[in-house]
Amino acid sequence: MNYENEEFFAPGHGMCAGCAAPIIVKWILKWAGPNTIVANATGCLEVATTAYPRTSWRVPWIHIAFENAAAAASGVEAATRAKGEKLNIIAFGGDGGTVDIGFQALSGMVERGHNVLYVLYDNEAYMNTGIQRSGSTPWGAWTTTSKVGSANPVGKLRPKKPIAMIIAAHNAPYVATANPAMFQDFKKKVQKALSTPGAKFLHVISSCTTGWRHDPSKTVEIMRLATDTGIFPLYEIENGDIENMRITYKPKKFKPVEEYLKPQGRFRHLLKNPEYVKKLQEDVDAWWARYGHHYHP
Amino acid sequence: MKAMIRGNESIAYAFKLARVQVVPAYPITPSTLVPEKISEFIANGEMKAEFVPVESEHSAISAAIGASARGVRVGTATASQGLALMHEVLFIASGMRLPIVMGIGNRALSAPINIWCDHQDSMSQRDTGWMQFYGENNQEGLDLGIMAFKIAEDKRVLLPAMVGLDAFVLTHTVEPVDMPEQSEVDDFLGEFKPNYVTLDPNKPATLGSFGFPEHYTEFRFAQWVAMEQAKKVIDEVFEEFEKKFGRKYRKVMPEHTEDADIIFVTMGSMSGTMREYIKKLRAQGKKVGMVKITVFRPFPKEELIEALQNAKVVAVVERNISMGFAGAVYGELAATFANKSKKPKFVDFIVGLGGRDITFNTLESVYKVAEKALTQDVDDVNWIDVNKEAVYKSEGLQ
């Protein structure tokens, strides 16, 4: 059945104007339909959508704590099996709850092969507590715990964890990166994930106007630039077969990384030094030199 | 039917007889045999349940919450560091009012790492909103394990429960038990039908939402009320169990207290040693008795006042310590009597930490101080069977 005209994520929540997370959640729920249970890690999405006694969730929803959405989903799934029922179980976590504090629970869930779709909405820092760096913050980003100053003109000094690759290395049946700005690709991947049995993982880029410091009207534009510059490539990996990953979108002509950096306050300092921009461009070029041949139109 | 089982098996059999549907668990000494036994029951087709071999205790209790919220009966087991790792999630299980039952192999906490018995692990979780039961032997482990579900699932309660059994002394010791028939337990517990809001796509609900100051206190007070209600429900379930299975349980079990000047308060397996020691003292004409605490949460204030009020000295013998104050049981008992005009003198004894044996010699050391307390002031906290000289020396005090 097609539920695209129904809303399972109700308006009236407290997410910021221009936040990409509600776009991601709203559409995933439409594609999943009402026969769905959601487990949510602590984070903006949880806090801003469930202020008791109100809720934005028109499907059953559970939140336990920060680091255990994958474990909560594992329990929901085990009980669903015990009851002999079939439904979509979806876990939503931000990058803190997924690549850092919730990493162990996620790894366990994937290794055990629970029939759960885990969705990481990656806004690349601990935004709920006020823009602190995470393992998913990219090199060179300013955050409130990777501050920029005379002794550290760069900001975050370490690169982003390749979480999709890491989860794929668990031999998960389906892992993909997705971008809500690349809507048809996003939809295809969600539907494919939902129809694949076992533990699926979607790494979805999710702009945060507050933390990335951009105009709220530019959300989709900036997320599209993330992929059109090659910074956030879109690919899928089945059954851990990283050698045969499939890049699902390749810009006809890559845009220079500056175009992605320019509208975001978190990167403002990088633009003052051409070396930094060059480094980022080289990183992107290196990724595509290594993996680009996996694009098969 | 008689069966020869270890304490851990009493928990596993309680889960099997209760027809637990999901068991998420992580192995830890000394409770590892519980998930092993569940895995065996399932492999043999004796038990129809989903075993979730999670990657940590934190995930064990998190998965237990997810499963319980989905509306099935859930059991798990852990001990010591595993229970400590669960700490933050324990509050959430009780706050979400889910009737999960957890077996605890009561074990010491690091450092130094130690796998043997004391009660520090579950005593340190006494504020997490879980009911706490402590068994003296494997029969009690089995019976309390079964009863815990009935109490936890009562509509008036809906709180999770821990059943503690002493590490090795019980968890690994084979004892004969009366094993109830499946039909009897089915009849006693009834079919599991969740009487709380579950995760059901036919009736969507939001569980674990964000509570602002204008609601949070009411949620907490509701837990307080449920814990107060549990006192009555526990009595009812104990009585029903006694009628059906012939074994008597009470929140506190007084023995020889009527004329006693000195009453020892005990928990867990040390109660058996204490019972024998009291026989010996009674044979010498000493007026001594004991009170075994089976239910520590909710704390049975009324029953303890009733049992202890006429004693001259109450000697609290306990296997835990709150550094900088006293043992937990002592503190709670003293507070229970705080507003009573008639009260005994309370003396605390810290014994049996990290598996140090509690012998007649231990209890004799306790008794000597308690007897002295009849006529003069003594220290409020007394560490027994400890090489104090060595410690003072290493701390530079001598």
Short mmCIF file of all heavy atoms in Angstrom, two decimals, chain A residues 4-36:
data_model
loop_
_atom_site.label_atom_id
_atom_site.label_comp_id
_atom_site.label_asym_id
_atom_site.label_seq_id
_atom_site.Cartn_x
_atom_site.Cartn_y
_atom_site.Cartn_z
N GLU A 4 1.91 7.56 1.04
CA GLU A 4 2.58 8.85 0.89
C GLU A 4 1.68 10.04 1.20
O GLU A 4 2.17 11.12 1.54
CB GLU A 4 3.19 8.98 -0.52
CG GLU A 4 4.43 8.12 -0.68
CD GLU A 4 5.28 8.50 -1.88
OE1 GLU A 4 4.89 9.40 -2.63
OE2 GLU A 4 6.33 7.87 -2.06
N ASN A 5 0.38 9.83 1.13
CA ASN A 5 -0.53 10.94 1.44
C ASN A 5 -0.95 10.97 2.90
O ASN A 5 -1.72 11.82 3.31
CB ASN A 5 -1.77 10.88 0.53
CG ASN A 5 -1.39 11.18 -0.90
OD1 ASN A 5 -0.50 11.99 -1.15
ND2 ASN A 5 -2.02 10.49 -1.84
N GLU A 6 -0.43 10.01 3.68
CA GLU A 6 -0.76 10.01 5.12
C GLU A 6 0.43 10.53 5.92
O GLU A 6 1.58 10.39 5.52
CB GLU A 6 -1.11 8.60 5.58
CG GLU A 6 -2.49 8.18 5.12
CD GLU A 6 -2.92 6.88 5.76
OE1 GLU A 6 -2.67 6.68 6.96
OE2 GLU A 6 -3.51 6.05 5.04
N GLU A 7 0.12 11.12 7.07
CA GLU A 7 1.19 11.62 7.95
C GLU A 7 1.26 10.76 9.20
O GLU A 7 0.29 10.63 9.93
CB GLU A 7 0.91 13.07 8.37
CG GLU A 7 0.93 14.09 7.24
CD GLU A 7 2.30 14.27 6.61
OE1 GLU A 7 3.30 13.78 7.15
OE2 GLU A 7 2.36 14.91 5.54
N PHE A 8 2.42 10.17 9.44
CA PHE A 8 2.63 9.41 10.68
C PHE A 8 3.51 10.18 11.65
O PHE A 8 3.74 9.75 12.76
CB PHE A 8 3.24 8.04 10.35
CG PHE A 8 2.37 7.24 9.42
CD1 PHE A 8 2.65 7.17 8.06
CD2 PHE A 8 1.25 6.58 9.91
CE1 PHE A 8 1.83 6.44 7.21
CE2 PHE A 8 0.43 5.86 9.07
CZ PHE A 8 0.72 5.78 7.71
N PHE A 9 4.02 11.31 11.16
CA PHE A 9 4.84 12.19 11.99
C PHE A 9 4.13 13.54 12.01
O PHE A 9 4.18 14.30 11.03
CB PHE A 9 6.25 12.29 11.39
CG PHE A 9 7.22 13.05 12.23
CD1 PHE A 9 7.71 12.50 13.41
CD2 PHE A 9 7.68 14.30 11.86
CE1 PHE A 9 8.62 13.19 14.20
CE2 PHE A 9 8.58 15.00 12.64
CZ PHE A 9 9.06 14.43 13.81
N ALA A 10 3.44 13.80 13.09
CA ALA A 10 2.52 14.92 13.12
C ALA A 10 3.24 16.25 13.27
O ALA A 10 4.32 16.33 13.89
CB ALA A 10 1.54 14.75 14.29
N PRO A 11 2.67 17.31 12.71
CA PRO A 11 3.26 18.63 12.90
C PRO A 11 3.04 19.13 14.34
O PRO A 11 2.32 18.49 15.10
CB PRO A 11 2.48 19.50 11.90
CG PRO A 11 1.19 18.80 11.69
CD PRO A 11 1.45 17.33 11.90
N GLY A 12 3.67 20.23 14.64
CA GLY A 12 3.50 20.80 15.97
C GLY A 12 4.66 20.47 16.90
O GLY A 12 4.67 20.85 18.06
N HIS A 13 5.64 19.76 16.40
CA HIS A 13 6.80 19.41 17.23
C HIS A 13 7.74 20.61 17.36
O HIS A 13 7.51 21.66 16.75
CB HIS A 13 7.54 18.22 16.62
CG HIS A 13 7.93 18.42 15.19
ND1 HIS A 13 8.94 19.28 14.81
CD2 HIS A 13 7.43 17.88 14.05
CE1 HIS A 13 9.05 19.27 13.51
NE2 HIS A 13 8.14 18.43 13.01
N GLY A 14 8.77 20.44 18.12
CA GLY A 14 9.64 21.58 18.41
C GLY A 14 10.97 21.56 17.70
O GLY A 14 11.92 22.22 18.13
N MET A 15 11.07 20.81 16.61
CA MET A 15 12.33 20.81 15.87
C MET A 15 12.52 22.19 15.23
O MET A 15 11.55 22.85 14.86
CB MET A 15 12.33 19.73 14.78
CG MET A 15 12.05 18.32 15.28
SD MET A 15 13.38 17.59 16.24
CE MET A 15 14.41 16.93 14.93
N CYS A 16 13.79 22.61 15.04
CA CYS A 16 14.07 23.92 14.49
C CYS A 16 13.56 24.05 13.06
O CYS A 16 13.54 23.07 12.32
CB CYS A 16 15.58 24.17 14.45
SG CYS A 16 16.39 24.12 16.05
N ALA A 17 13.23 25.25 12.67
CA ALA A 17 12.94 25.52 11.26
C ALA A 17 14.21 25.21 10.48
O ALA A 17 15.30 25.59 10.88
CB ALA A 17 12.56 26.98 11.08
N GLY A 18 14.06 24.48 9.39
CA GLY A 18 15.22 24.17 8.56
C GLY A 18 15.96 22.92 8.96
O GLY A 18 16.91 22.53 8.30
N CYS A 19 15.55 22.26 10.05
CA CYS A 19 16.19 21.01 10.47
C CYS A 19 15.79 19.91 9.49
O CYS A 19 14.63 19.76 9.13
CB CYS A 19 15.75 20.64 11.88
SG CYS A 19 16.30 18.99 12.39
N ALA A 20 16.78 19.10 9.08
CA ALA A 20 16.48 18.07 8.08
C ALA A 20 15.90 16.81 8.71
O ALA A 20 15.25 16.01 8.03
CB ALA A 20 17.75 17.71 7.31
N ALA A 21 16.11 16.61 10.02
CA ALA A 21 15.68 15.35 10.65
C ALA A 21 14.18 15.06 10.45
O ALA A 21 13.81 13.94 10.10
CB ALA A 21 16.07 15.33 12.11
N PRO A 22 13.29 16.05 10.66
CA PRO A 22 11.86 15.75 10.47
C PRO A 22 11.52 15.36 9.03
O PRO A 22 10.60 14.58 8.81
CB PRO A 22 11.16 17.05 10.85
CG PRO A 22 12.14 17.86 11.60
CD PRO A 22 13.49 17.44 11.13
N ILE A 23 12.27 15.91 8.07
CA ILE A 23 12.03 15.55 6.67
C ILE A 23 12.34 14.06 6.49
O ILE A 23 11.57 13.31 5.90
CB ILE A 23 12.93 16.38 5.71
CG1 ILE A 23 12.76 17.88 5.97
CG2 ILE A 23 12.66 16.01 4.26
CD1 ILE A 23 13.72 18.77 5.17
N ILE A 24 13.47 13.66 7.05
CA ILE A 24 13.91 12.27 6.93
C ILE A 24 12.89 11.34 7.58
O ILE A 24 12.44 10.35 6.98
CB ILE A 24 15.31 12.10 7.61
CG1 ILE A 24 16.35 12.92 6.85
CG2 ILE A 24 15.70 10.64 7.73
CD1 ILE A 24 17.65 13.12 7.61
N VAL A 25 12.49 11.67 8.81
CA VAL A 25 11.60 10.80 9.58
C VAL A 25 10.22 10.73 8.92
O VAL A 25 9.65 9.64 8.76
CB VAL A 25 11.49 11.33 11.03
CG1 VAL A 25 10.38 10.61 11.79
CG2 VAL A 25 12.82 11.19 11.74
N LYS A 26 9.70 11.88 8.56
CA LYS A 26 8.37 11.95 7.97
C LYS A 26 8.26 11.04 6.74
O LYS A 26 7.31 10.28 6.61
CB LYS A 26 8.11 13.41 7.62
CG LYS A 26 6.99 13.73 6.66
CD LYS A 26 7.15 15.22 6.28
CE LYS A 26 6.39 15.53 5.01
NZ LYS A 26 5.30 16.48 5.23
N TRP A 27 9.29 11.10 5.88
CA TRP A 27 9.22 10.31 4.64
C TRP A 27 9.48 8.84 4.87
O TRP A 27 8.83 7.98 4.28
CB TRP A 27 10.13 10.92 3.57
CG TRP A 27 9.46 12.14 2.99
CD1 TRP A 27 9.68 13.43 3.34
CD2 TRP A 27 8.39 12.14 2.04
NE1 TRP A 27 8.83 14.26 2.66
CE2 TRP A 27 8.02 13.49 1.84
CE3 TRP A 27 7.71 11.14 1.34
CZ2 TRP A 27 7.00 13.88 0.98
CZ3 TRP A 27 6.70 11.51 0.46
CH2 TRP A 27 6.35 12.87 0.29
N ILE A 28 10.38 8.54 5.77
CA ILE A 28 10.63 7.11 6.06
C ILE A 28 9.36 6.47 6.61
O ILE A 28 9.00 5.36 6.23
CB ILE A 28 11.83 6.94 7.03
CG1 ILE A 28 13.13 7.29 6.30
CG2 ILE A 28 11.89 5.52 7.57
CD1 ILE A 28 14.39 7.21 7.15
N LEU A 29 8.65 7.19 7.46
CA LEU A 29 7.41 6.63 8.03
C LEU A 29 6.34 6.46 6.95
O LEU A 29 5.56 5.51 6.98
CB LEU A 29 6.89 7.50 9.18
CG LEU A 29 7.75 7.50 10.45
CD1 LEU A 29 7.08 8.33 11.54
CD2 LEU A 29 8.03 6.10 10.97
N LYS A 30 6.28 7.39 6.01
CA LYS A 30 5.31 7.25 4.92
C LYS A 30 5.59 5.98 4.11
O LYS A 30 4.68 5.29 3.68
CB LYS A 30 5.37 8.46 3.98
CG LYS A 30 4.67 9.71 4.51
CD LYS A 30 5.04 10.88 3.62
CE LYS A 30 4.43 12.19 4.10
NZ LYS A 30 3.03 12.36 3.68
N TRP A 31 6.90 5.72 3.88
CA TRP A 31 7.26 4.54 3.09
C TRP A 31 7.11 3.25 3.92
O TRP A 31 6.90 2.18 3.35
CB TRP A 31 8.69 4.68 2.54
CG TRP A 31 8.79 5.86 1.59
CD1 TRP A 31 7.84 6.25 0.69
CD2 TRP A 31 9.85 6.81 1.49
NE1 TRP A 31 8.25 7.39 0.02
CE2 TRP A 31 9.48 7.75 0.48
CE3 TRP A 31 11.09 6.98 2.12
CZ2 TRP A 31 10.30 8.83 0.11
CZ3 TRP A 31 11.90 8.04 1.75
CH2 TRP A 31 11.50 8.96 0.76
N ALA A 32 7.22 3.38 5.23
CA ALA A 32 7.07 2.19 6.08
C ALA A 32 5.60 1.88 6.35
O ALA A 32 5.20 0.72 6.45
CB ALA A 32 7.82 2.40 7.40
N GLY A 33 4.79 2.93 6.49
CA GLY A 33 3.36 2.71 6.75
C GLY A 33 3.07 2.47 8.21
O GLY A 33 3.96 2.51 9.07
N PRO A 34 1.78 2.22 8.52
CA PRO A 34 1.36 2.17 9.92
C PRO A 34 1.80 0.92 10.69
O PRO A 34 1.78 0.92 11.92
CB PRO A 34 -0.18 2.24 9.83
CG PRO A 34 -0.50 1.69 8.46
CD PRO A 34 0.66 2.05 7.58
N ASN A 35 2.19 -0.13 9.97
CA ASN A 35 2.57 -1.37 10.66
C ASN A 35 4.04 -1.30 11.07
O ASN A 35 4.87 -2.10 10.66
CB ASN A 35 2.30 -2.57 9.74
CG ASN A 35 2.29 -3.87 10.51
OD1 ASN A 35 1.93 -3.89 11.68
ND2 ASN A 35 2.72 -4.94 9.87
N THR A 36 4.33 -0.31 11.91
CA THR A 36 5.71 0.05 12.22
C THR A 36 5.84 0.40 13.70
O THR A 36 4.94 1.00 14.27
CB THR A 36 6.10 1.29 11.36
OG1 THR A 36 6.03 0.93 9.98
CG2 THR A 36 7.49 1.79 11.68
#
